[in-house]
Amino acid sequence: MPLKLFSEEKSSGAKHVIAIAAGKGGVGKSSVTVNLARALSRLGLTVGVMDTDIYGPSIRKMLPEDQLPQQKGNILIPAVSDGIKMISMAYFRKEHEAAAIRAPIANGIITQFIKSVEWGPLDFLLIDFPPGTGDVQLTLSQQANLSGAIMVTTPQEVAVMDVRKAMNLFEQVKVPFLGIIENMSYFQAPNSQERHYLFGKGGGERLARDYGVPFLGSIPIDPKICQCGDSGQSLFADGDMSPGAADFLKVANNVVSHAAAMKKASQDVLKEFELVWKQL
Ligand SMILES: Nc1ncnc2c1ncn2[C@@H]1O[C@H](COP(=O)(O)OP(=O)(O)OP(=O)(O)O)[C@@H](O)[C@H]1O
Ligand SMILES: [Mg+2]
């Protein structure tokens, strides 16, 4: 009897469900999530963003909605911003209210996000992970049908050290790595050729080599990334692209090709499995 394995179907309806994670807070996970989402969208792909930071959701500010989310019975319809679908805890509590939420409740909210959001067909669902390796991260890694994880780090040794711990969590739950993005790699003043490596040099590439995973690219320190994050404007809004915007497009292209290769590899494994089964 042939065994049917469903490699295409994810509960979210997304072709690729990607965790954007880091070890340390503040290395730029949310900025990377939003700008990667915008860059993928610019490449003509359909993108959703899930902000899983229960205690300090920042994505809504960076990606302000044109359309609010809606609740229809047990189903959540995501917000839409510049064509990007988005769900965040920011919609479910008052702004500025301190979020005193115990871990089991946080887990319940995350499970709700995983199971109840009707994303519709998506090419990429990017999940902005909270920093570290706690309960919520574990729930997400086990339940969100992740295709892979992108690890974000700065070049600094302490950030790289912490990212290794977060990578161990993904390894334990058998989530493959799509690759590493190094953020805040260097600063280059306008009209200057000189790059200043403020947080050290090459930490992200070394990490990628050590783990044998793709290096997806580096993003410089770019004041426009900071300004756009605060104002909710698109980094790609004007034709004159900043260095950060140009590098995000390169990273997005790398993400597309590595995600396709990863999917093909996992489908090949499934085909092989089916062959062996039929032979029995
Ligand atoms: N490449 C960059 N150039 C300039 N500023 C940046 C860059 N990346 C991030 N930032 C800024 O650094 C700060 C932290 O970034 P962000 O909020 O994306 O980090 P995070 O890892 O999501 O933080 P948290 O752990 O709190 O969720 C923000 O003010 C953001 O605008
Ligand atoms: Mg964040």
Side-chain angles (χ1 to χ4, degrees):
M1 190 177 72
L3 177 69
K4 197 147 175 57
L5 292 173
F6 297 98
S7 60
E8 273 303 320
E9 287 193 1
K10 300 278 180 199
S11 55
S12 61
K15 283 187 198 150
H16 308 283
V17 183
I18 310 293
I20 314 281
K24 254 171 80 69
V27 296
K29 282 175 308 302
S30 302
S31 305
V32 166
T33 305
V34 166
N35 290 308
L36 184 57
R38 288 193 190 277
L40 289 168
S41 176
R42 241 183 101 98
L43 296 177
L45 299 162
T46 48
V47 187
V49 170
M50 190 194 288
D51 177 6
T52 63
D53 198 335
I54 302 290
Y55 303 97
S58 54
I59 295 265
R60 186 183 180 187
K61 190 165 177 54
M62 299 177 173
L63 208 55
E65 70 283 344
D66 307 312
Q67 214 177 296
L68 281 164
Q70 296 168 49
Q71 188 149 18
K72 291 190 177 161
N74 292 334
I75 301 283
L76 283 172
I77 313 287
V80 185
S81 169
D82 259 352
I84 297 167
K85 294 183 179 178
M86 197 264 286
I87 201 77
S88 166
M89 185 62 189
Y91 291 114
F92 301 99
R93 65 185 178 85
K94 292 192 194 108
E95 214 182 341
H96 309 307
E97 187 182 301
I101 300 169
R102 288 185 185 275
I105 305 289
N107 262 329
I109 295 166
I110 290 303
T111 309
Q112 197 79 352
F113 279 7
I114 296 168
K115 301 213 164 124
S116 312
V117 181
E118 199 169 270
W119 294 100
L122 291 177
D123 292 307
F124 280 89
L125 175 61
L126 305 182
I127 305 185
D128 181 17
F129 264 49
T133 52
D135 242 16
V136 165
Q137 292 82 336
L138 199 58
T139 302
L140 278 164
S141 315
Q142 290 173 326
Q143 295 185 18
N145 271 326
L146 296 172
S147 328
I150 292 178
M151 306 307 294
V152 181
T153 185
T154 59
Q156 199 176 357
E157 208 37 59
V158 283
V160 173
M161 210 169 70
D162 281 358
V163 110
R164 287 177 195 268
K165 290 184 205 150
M167 288 176 86
N168 290 344
L169 177 125
F170 287 110
E171 280 183 325
Q172 275 171 27
V173 292
K174 306 272 182 279
V175 172
F177 297 110
L178 188 58
I180 311 278
I181 297 176
E182 189 186 85
N183 189 29
M184 308 190 197
S185 296
Y186 58 88
F187 177 73
Q188 189 169 351
N191 308 319
S192 162
Q193 292 305 310
E194 199 182 348
R195 290 181 173 184
H196 303 272
Y197 295 90
L198 304 179
F199 301 121
K201 196 176 172 190
E205 271 180 280
R206 271 197 302 279
L207 185 68
R209 258 199 319 273
D210 287 353
Y211 277 80
V213 301
F215 183 65
L216 298 168
S218 39
I219 309 292
I221 296 172
D222 178 352
K224 196 133 180 244
I225 292 178
C226 190
Q227 285 155 18
C228 287
D230 283 348
S231 67
Q233 279 174 329
S234 172
L235 185 62
F236 306 96
D238 50 30
D240 189 17
M241 239 184 256
S242 72
D247 282 343
F248 266 116
L249 278 179
K250 285 187 207 154
V251 168
N253 276 302
N254 285 338
V255 166
V256 170
S257 54
H258 284 293
M262 190 182 250
K263 185 155 202 116
K264 186 172 179 309
S266 75
Q267 282 169 339
D268 288 348
V269 169
L270 289 178
K271 268 187 220 147
E272 256 172 49
F273 180 79
E274 197 173 357
L275 275 179
V276 173
W277 181 265
K278 279 179 185 167
Q279 278 166 10
L280 291 174

